[in-house]
Amino acid sequence: MLRLDNLTKTYRTGDRALSGVSFTVEPGQVVGLIGPSGAGKSTLIRCINRLVEPSSGQVFLGETELTRLGRGALRRSRRRIGMIFQEYALVERLTVMENVLSGRLGYVSFWRSFFRKYPTDAVSKAYGLLDRVGLTDHVDKRADALSGGQRQRVGIARALAQDPDLLLVDEPTASLDPKTSRQIMRLIVEICDEHGLPAIINIHDVALAQQFVRRIIGLKAGEVVYDGPPDQLDAEVLTRIYGEEDWSATIRAVDEDEALDEPTTSDEEYLSPESVLDRERMAGLS
Amino acid sequence: MPTVWRRPPLITNPRLRWAVYLGSLTYLVLAFASVDVNWMRVYEGLDRGLRFVKGFLVPDFVSRWGDIAQGMQESLTMTVTSTVVGILISVPIGIGAARNIAPLPIYLVCRGIIALSRSFQEIIIAILFVAMFGFGPFAGFLTLSFATIGFLAKLLAEDIEDIDEAQAEAVRATGAGWWQVVNYGIQPQVMPRLIGLSLYRLDINFRESSVIGIVGAGGIGATLNTAMDRYEYDSAAAILIIIIVIVMIAEYGSSIIRGRIQ
């Protein structure tokens, strides 16, 4: 589905952010990308939709080689790649609906978007997405009037409005409290499951990554140093990714967290979307 | 452990530091000493100044009302039209002069236009346009439009360069075209300030319109100049009072609007 081949990025300042990164993401697979600050996580996902221009190497999305595309073709390919940002990156002074509809910009002409005359199916889709992320009551509010968790939900709806084939998620929970972080991660993973959507999620919080994704890639100084399931992340691997540190607390915290979060001791790691949804409803969240 | 701490000085080298202090002080003393004040002339001038002020205490709106009304109308027309035209031209130039969204050749051309517009004072441009197009408000209109471009385009460009890039990046990531990125990612961020600056420029243009009238570019300035030349200080006072009132109204009105659009 998504294939990175020997992707390298050297910034003009001479900083080598990525050196020879290669991996493949299968359809419907959600990958957590972890690594210390400055390891090149943000650069990596931005090289995929070429918000950052890679220095060498190739990126394939399906059959398309993204790294070869000209400007027009790149724009058309970007429509297929939804992106969710750290600190939400909503256009603050636009309404929630405008933010969600902006996911359709690649599909409509400038004048249509200028006069906000979107096709009816785009509008009904946007309403549907806002309903899905639980923001039906906030359609006409300005984005900066929402709370952090609500804003990130708008960000998710905007990315989904693109009808993407791939989600790139950059630190979705960086400025959210632990509970909201879990809700947002759960929502993203659920949606990916519903649509069979592959995703790459940059994430700082190792425990959170372990809880929600089934494959983890560890990046250190621009190189892949771990690629495997979350339950094999032990002190040795964490040291390889982040460097020497006392990891016992981190790992134990993960266990406690899961124990707290999943009182039913099921063997299955993965929670079905329905059960999650039920629990959220019980908590009055969605 | 030391018990005394001093903030590191701006200039680390003490010799250089004291040289700069002493040099500045010497220059200041010499500069003040070189200002030549003729105290006798000041004393005589006080009397003339008093006559001037006395004239202003009894403003005469009536005897020259026709001229005043016409000058005012010209000035207001000049102000509004030049502000509108100036904004219309300066928005594209301002966008072109923002380094983060414009390609280098366009950036250089737009910055050139801005530099040209800003390097000449309104009066000088007014003299040029009066020479080219004759006396009257048309020269004033052109002058103010030209000056508005330099002012608004520069501030707009700087505002665009200061935007939160993440918002524009997010719009770009959806596959939006360049104009769509400007419309969705940038315009909402700079609009309140652009409106505020436009209203401020309307203010400035009105005040300038009364100044450039003095060099023949029409409007209330021309009327004021005529009144001064005829030593009709009472009529001049009436004109100044009207200008002050209008500037205050504009000031108050624009502050209300600016407060609302944030």
Side-chain angles (χ1 to χ4, degrees):
Chain A
M1 182 64 219
L2 174 75
R3 185 157 62 86
L4 309 191
D5 195 9
N6 215 7
L7 197 65
T8 299
K9 171 68 188 177
T10 311
Y11 281 106
R12 235 181 302 176
T13 50
D15 297 321
R16 198 181 182 94
L18 297 175
S19 34
V21 173
S22 306
F23 61 82
T24 307
V25 181
E26 302 304 330
Q29 190 175 47
V30 179
V31 178
L33 193 61
I34 63 170
S37 306
K41 302 191 297 293
S42 282
T43 306
L44 175 59
I45 66 166
R46 280 174 171 73
C47 278
I48 294 172
N49 62 1
R50 283 172 59 192
L51 287 175
V52 170
E53 208 57 58
S55 312
S56 68
Q58 287 142 355
V59 178
F60 292 91
L61 179 63
E63 296 299 304
T64 320
E65 184 182 346
L66 297 176
T67 32
R68 292 177 68 134
L69 299 178
R71 275 169 42 143
L74 174 64
R75 283 214 301 114
R76 283 190 292 281
S77 280
R78 276 183 182 160
R79 303 187 303 202
R80 300 167 56 201
I81 307 173
M83 195 160 174
I84 297 168
F85 292 84
Q86 185 175 9
E87 312 273 351
Y88 333 118
L90 302 179
V91 182
E92 306 257 318
R93 286 202 180 89
L94 293 184
T95 60
V96 167
M97 185 48 107
E98 279 168 308
N99 270 290
V100 176
L101 285 173
S102 71
R104 300 302 296 173
L105 282 175
Y107 296 93
V108 300
S109 71
F110 171 73
W111 290 111
R112 255 181 186 268
S113 67
F114 184 81
F115 291 111
R116 307 322 196 230
K117 293 279 182 214
Y118 285 85
T120 47
D121 57 331
V123 176
S124 62
K125 187 181 170 61
Y127 271 111
L129 286 168
L130 284 170
D131 185 40
R132 174 67 185 86
V133 298
L135 289 175
T136 317
D137 298 337
H138 304 284
V139 174
D140 287 333
K141 277 192 189 162
R142 252 169 60 157
D144 53 6
L146 301 182
S147 72
Q150 290 172 327
R151 288 191 205 193
Q152 195 55 291
R153 285 161 190 271
V154 178
I156 294 170
R158 172 174 65 187
L160 293 175
Q162 288 174 237
D163 275 328
D165 296 332
L166 170 70
L167 273 188
L168 301 175
V169 190
D170 189 16
E171 302 282 1
T173 61
S175 36
L176 299 175
D177 65 62
K179 182 174 174 180
T180 317
S181 296
R182 275 156 183 75
Q183 291 169 352
I184 290 292
M185 281 298 288
R186 189 171 293 130
L187 183 64
I188 292 173
V189 172
E190 267 174 40
I191 284 172
C192 286
D193 284 333
E194 285 166 21
H195 297 83
L197 205 57
I200 300 181
I201 305 181
N202 278 357
I203 190 157
H204 258 305
D205 189 333
V206 176
L208 207 57
Q210 282 179 301
Q211 189 182 342
F212 287 102
V213 306
R214 276 157 285 163
R215 177 182 173 194
I216 286 189
I217 293 179
L219 211 59
K220 183 187 186 179
E223 286 176 67
V224 176
V225 294
Y226 176 81
D227 186 349
D231 50 4
Q232 281 175 25
L233 273 182
D234 51 19
E236 189 267 317
V237 173
L238 286 175
T239 302
R240 207 184 328 145
I241 299 172
Y242 290 96
E244 203 67 55
E245 183 54 69
D246 176 14
W247 296 110
S248 54
T250 314
I251 296 169
R252 196 168 57 233
V254 174
D255 297 339
E256 279 170 4
D257 207 65
E258 280 179 344
L260 216 122
D261 227 62
E262 296 173 69
T264 47
T265 47
S266 63
D267 287 341
E268 275 195 359
E269 286 235 351
Y270 159 63
L271 245 57
S272 76
E274 296 82 49
S275 72
V276 172
L277 216 62
D278 282 348
R279 203 168 49 200
E280 279 197 4
R281 275 201 200 98
M282 281 196 302
L285 294 170
S286 53
Chain B
M1 290 292 149
T3 51
V4 183
W5 177 85
R6 269 182 231 282
R7 194 172 175 279
L10 189 64
I11 304 169
T12 328
N13 183 343
R15 277 203 192 147
L16 180 64
R17 186 164 70 239
W18 285 107
V20 169
Y21 288 163
L22 266 178
S24 315
L25 190 70
T26 317
Y27 177 79
L28 262 180
V29 170
L30 288 177
F32 274 117
S34 72
V35 178
D36 188 16
V37 184
N38 183 346
W39 292 106
M40 275 310 290
R41 178 64 187 74
V42 171
Y43 178 72
E44 284 168 19
L46 281 180
D47 200 36
R48 294 189 202 176
L50 199 65
R51 276 215 305 280
F52 195 84
V53 172
K54 268 186 186 160
F56 276 94
L57 290 178
V58 277
D60 176 8
F61 291 89
V62 189
S63 42
R64 295 280 174 196
W65 179 248
D67 293 342
I68 296 176
Q70 198 207 335
M72 215 60 199
Q73 198 195 345
E74 274 181 17
S75 262
L76 287 173
T77 313
M78 207 194 297
T79 306
V80 173
T81 51
S82 65
T83 309
V84 170
V85 170
I87 293 169
L88 290 180
I89 301 176
S90 57
V91 166
I93 294 181
I95 293 173
R99 190 63 201 99
N100 52 343
I101 53 170
L104 189 63
I106 294 176
Y107 168 79
L108 290 177
V109 171
C110 292
R111 282 284 165 178
I113 296 171
I114 291 174
L116 188 73
S117 162
R118 284 172 54 82
S119 53
F120 295 104
Q121 222 282 329
E122 277 91 337
I123 303 271
I124 297 168
I125 305 169
I127 292 172
L128 173 72
F129 281 142
V130 168
M132 283 168 72
F133 301 103
F135 292 104
F138 183 63
F141 159 75
L142 289 179
T143 305
L144 294 178
S145 303
F146 187 70
T148 303
I149 293 169
F151 174 88
L152 265 185
K154 182 183 162 70
L155 293 173
L156 176 63
E158 260 147 40
D159 212 27
I160 292 176
E161 286 170 354
D162 280 345
I163 58 158
D164 174 12
E165 281 291 344
Q167 299 181 33
E169 188 188 40
V171 175
R172 198 172 294 125
T174 64
W178 191 86
W179 286 106
Q180 290 175 323
V181 173
V182 170
N183 182 224
Y184 275 71
I186 293 168
Q187 190 193 329
Q189 295 193 57
V190 299
M191 207 58 191
R193 196 163 140 79
L194 179 62
I195 294 173
L197 286 172
S198 301
L199 290 169
Y200 181 45
R201 188 64 217 187
L202 191 74
D203 254 37
I204 298 178
N205 278 350
F206 181 75
R207 272 180 285 142
E208 288 297 335
S209 80
S210 50
V211 176
I212 57 176
I214 295 172
V215 296
I220 194 73
T223 321
L224 180 65
N225 197 29
T226 313
M228 292 284 212
D229 285 349
R230 290 176 181 154
Y231 300 102
E232 292 172 355
Y233 291 143
D234 44 5
S235 290
I239 294 171
L240 284 179
I241 289 171
I242 293 175
I243 292 177
I244 292 169
V245 168
I246 291 184
V247 168
M248 281 169 75
I249 292 172
E251 179 78 37
Y252 183 66
S254 66
S255 73
I256 289 179
I257 297 175
R258 266 179 285 171
R260 287 206 169 187
I261 51 172
Q262 228 345 284

